[in-house]
Amino acid sequence: MHGYADSKESHIKRMRRIEGQVRGITKMIESDKYCIDILTQVSAVNKALEAVALGLLDEHLKHCVTDAVTEGGQIADQKIEEASAAIARLVRS
Amino acid sequence: MHGYADSKESHIKRMRRIEGQVRGITKMIESDKYCIDILTQVSAVNKALEAVALGLLDEHLKHCVTDAVTEGGQIADQKIEEASAAIARLVRS
Amino acid sequence: MHGYADSKESHIKRMRRIEGQVRGITKMIESDKYCIDILTQVSAVNKALEAVALGLLDEHLKHCVTDAVTEGGQIADQKIEEASAAIARLVRS
Amino acid sequence: MHGYADSKESHIKRMRRIEGQVRGITKMIESDKYCIDILTQVSAVNKALEAVALGLLDEHLKHCVTDAVTEGGQIADQKIEEASAAIARLVRS
């Protein structure tokens, strides 16, 4: 079981909404909508994805990283390395 | 016709791929995949969306903004205000 | 004369303030301040820099790019390529 | 002692370099340098600041958060809340 188990349904709901937003952008392009309006939707999807990512990361720290640190040893170091690399990818994306 | 008309099909293709990636993330959550692997996919979708947005923006500057500036007057000022606001939303998302 | 000529003094004032913030972060590290408090200041400097960059970009579009487009020809294409590349760097930084 | 104690000198060195870069941007504006060249420097400073922040965050997770989690109880929850909030500010700046 992973850190996000308790909020799994809310993450799935958010992702389904994001799926709908992304499909909406595809339709805007297909029906030649104005560039600026499409860009506004892209920024909105970016923000929604960021919120999902930050939620997953918080839960990962609270559960997976915390359990590993409590266990101690190499598994703890590895989990923190992984979390730091994921944070860097998020900050840079 | 908007600035992206010439590359409409390639934008649609990219957005379809992004749709698939987003659906893939939803499935990863549904099947309890590891948080870090999900976060890696979210960063990848963010990057893919950024590339679509930057392409649309470039074409908007080359066509819509250029035509408005050539026409001159208030329409030119308005198009540039719009473009700057879209750029700010992208930089801050 | 460049696009930011009219707001040159306000850009300089903002950059001086950012210089002070950056020096403040250096001092926080020198005097062993708490990591989270330092990170809060780094995020504040990032936001302040973003505001300066978006201001410069807006003025560049309004003056340098507009003048080049009015002139037309290769200089216009080159200015827009340059602006798009600068926007991409900002979005990705 | 904080998480970054071991790499304090290297953080200070980086921040001094960033101070110099920021002063350089101020001088570019004072001497009417071309907008795009200034924007290139702003993006470079943003990236340098990001690297410092990610380094501090990694060390914070490895030391302050790890110590708190090992200690357990409320202090652990508080440290993770703090770290998640700092990550969110970084991702959104």
Side-chain angles (χ1 to χ4, degrees):
Chain A
M1 237 182 51
H2 294 302
Y4 59 86
D6 295 343
S7 48
K8 181 174 163 178
E9 288 316 313
S10 95
H11 285 309
I12 290 170
K13 221 169 120 192
R14 281 183 175 202
M15 287 306 301
R16 289 250 170 76
R17 205 178 308 134
I18 290 170
E19 269 183 59
Q21 286 176 287
V22 168
R23 248 194 313 279
I25 292 170
T26 310
K27 275 196 197 105
M28 288 177 87
I29 297 172
E30 286 169 341
S31 38
D32 301 312
K33 294 298 181 198
Y34 185 43
C35 329
I36 296 290
D37 297 333
I38 298 170
L39 286 168
T40 303
Q41 290 307 314
V42 170
S43 295
V45 170
N46 264 343
K47 288 238 178 215
L49 275 170
E50 239 171 48
V52 171
L54 289 170
L56 287 169
L57 194 58
D58 181 51
E59 289 150 350
H60 181 65
L61 292 175
K62 279 176 181 152
H63 301 283
C64 312
V65 172
T66 293
D67 296 347
V69 165
T70 310
E71 193 181 317
Q74 222 185 350
I75 181 82
D77 300 341
Q78 189 230 323
K79 286 287 184 208
I80 289 187
E81 287 294 335
E82 254 184 3
S84 281
I87 294 163
R89 279 193 299 272
L90 265 181
V91 169
R92 288 179 172 137
S93 67
Chain B
M1 239 185 47
H2 294 302
Y4 59 87
D6 295 343
S7 49
K8 181 175 164 178
E9 289 315 315
S10 97
H11 285 308
I12 290 170
K13 222 168 120 192
R14 283 182 175 202
M15 286 307 301
R16 289 249 170 76
R17 204 178 308 134
I18 289 170
E19 269 182 63
Q21 286 176 287
V22 168
R23 249 191 315 277
I25 292 170
T26 309
K27 276 196 196 104
M28 288 177 87
I29 297 172
E30 286 168 341
S31 38
D32 301 312
K33 294 297 181 199
Y34 184 43
C35 330
I36 296 289
D37 297 334
I38 298 171
L39 286 168
T40 302
Q41 289 307 313
V42 171
S43 294
V45 170
N46 263 344
K47 289 241 177 213
L49 275 170
E50 240 172 46
V52 171
L54 290 170
L56 287 168
L57 193 58
D58 181 52
E59 288 149 352
H60 181 65
L61 292 176
K62 279 177 182 153
H63 300 283
C64 312
V65 173
T66 292
D67 296 346
V69 166
T70 310
E71 194 182 319
Q74 223 186 350
I75 180 83
D77 301 340
Q78 191 230 322
K79 286 287 184 209
I80 289 186
E81 288 294 336
E82 254 184 3
S84 281
I87 294 163
R89 279 193 298 272
L90 266 181
V91 168
R92 290 181 171 133
S93 68
Chain C
M1 237 182 51
H2 295 303
Y4 59 86
D6 297 344
S7 49
K8 181 174 162 179
E9 289 316 315
S10 95
H11 285 310
I12 290 169
K13 221 168 118 194
R14 282 183 177 203
M15 286 307 300
R16 290 252 169 74
R17 203 178 312 134
I18 290 170
E19 270 182 61
Q21 286 176 287
V22 167
R23 247 192 315 278
I25 293 170
T26 310
K27 277 196 196 104
M28 288 177 86
I29 297 172
E30 285 168 343
S31 38
D32 303 311
K33 295 296 183 199
Y34 185 42
C35 329
I36 296 289
D37 297 335
I38 298 170
L39 285 168
T40 302
Q41 291 306 313
V42 171
S43 295
V45 169
N46 263 342
K47 288 238 177 217
L49 275 169
E50 240 172 46
V52 170
L54 290 171
L56 287 168
L57 194 57
D58 181 50
E59 287 149 352
H60 181 66
L61 291 176
K62 279 178 181 151
H63 300 284
C64 313
V65 173
T66 292
D67 295 348
V69 167
T70 310
E71 193 182 320
Q74 224 186 349
I75 181 82
D77 301 339
Q78 190 233 322
K79 286 287 184 206
I80 288 185
E81 288 294 335
E82 253 183 6
S84 281
I87 293 163
R89 280 192 299 271
L90 265 180
V91 168
R92 291 180 170 135
S93 65
Chain D
M1 238 185 48
H2 294 304
Y4 59 85
D6 295 345
S7 49
K8 180 174 165 180
E9 289 315 315
S10 95
H11 285 308
I12 290 170
K13 219 168 120 193
R14 281 183 175 201
M15 285 307 300
R16 290 252 168 74
R17 203 178 310 134
I18 290 170
E19 270 182 60
Q21 285 176 286
V22 168
R23 246 192 315 278
I25 292 170
T26 310
K27 277 197 197 103
M28 287 177 88
I29 297 172
E30 285 168 341
S31 38
D32 302 312
K33 294 296 184 202
Y34 185 43
C35 329
I36 296 289
D37 297 334
I38 298 170
L39 286 168
T40 302
Q41 291 305 314
V42 170
S43 295
V45 170
N46 263 342
K47 289 241 178 215
L49 274 170
E50 239 172 47
V52 170
L54 290 171
L56 287 167
L57 194 57
D58 181 51
E59 288 149 354
H60 181 66
L61 291 176
K62 279 179 182 151
H63 300 283
C64 313
V65 173
T66 291
D67 295 347
V69 167
T70 310
E71 193 182 317
Q74 223 186 351
I75 181 82
D77 301 340
Q78 190 231 323
K79 287 286 183 207
I80 288 186
E81 288 293 336
E82 254 183 3
S84 281
I87 293 163
R89 279 192 299 271
L90 266 181
V91 168
R92 289 180 172 136
S93 67

